[in-house]
Amino acid sequence: MAELGTATIVYRNASDEVERATVDNDHIAYFQDHWLFAYGTDDDGNDLVRRVPKERVYHVERSVEELEGTFDTAVDKAKNTLEELK
């Protein structure tokens, strides 16, 4: 499996303290005005996901080179699929 790099999110938590979390790029997403990221597992092995409203996030740093390669691969796959459908 290809290395996807990491992302670091800096945000204010529910106690109004600033927190910083670093996760794999494939464990963070922006959806419906919230940043979501996996930050561990529970006792049953289920992923724990934190959902932070965009207003509480100071910034997100991502290793872009790895993301660009992943994005380029996804675009190429989509192009190939469209070509096959023609």
Side-chain angles (χ1 to χ4, degrees), residues 64-74:
V64 177
E65 290 174 13
E66 290 87 351
L67 281 177
E68 286 175 351
T70 301
F71 179 74
D72 290 342
T73 300

Side-chain angles (χ1 to χ4, degrees), residues 22-41:
T22 300
V23 298
D24 290 340
N25 266 324
D26 61 341
H27 289 161
I28 189 168
Y30 185 77
F31 181 69
Q32 294 180 336
D33 293 332
H34 287 74
W35 281 95
L36 294 87
F37 58 95
Y39 65 95
T41 56

Side-chain angles (χ1 to χ4, degrees), residues 13-84:
N13 65 20
S15 302
D16 219 26
E17 298 169 340
V18 175
E19 283 193 34
R20 172 185 294 263
T22 300
V23 298
D24 290 340
N25 266 324
D26 61 341
H27 289 161
I28 189 168
Y30 185 77
F31 181 69
Q32 294 180 336
D33 293 332
H34 287 74
W35 281 95
L36 294 87
F37 58 95
Y39 65 95
T41 56
D42 64 14
D43 292 338
D44 296 326
N46 300 311
D47 287 336
L48 297 173
V49 177
R50 182 156 293 162
R51 184 178 162 128
V52 182
K54 69 178 183 179
E55 297 83 16
R56 299 188 71 83
V57 175
Y58 290 109
H59 64 273
V60 176
E61 300 168 354
R62 296 179 105 163
S63 50
V64 177
E65 290 174 13
E66 290 87 351
L67 281 177
E68 286 175 351
T70 301
F71 179 74
D72 290 342
T73 300
V75 169
D76 289 340
K77 284 182 182 177
K79 284 181 184 177
N80 290 339
T81 300
L82 289 174
E83 299 271 327
E84 291 171 5

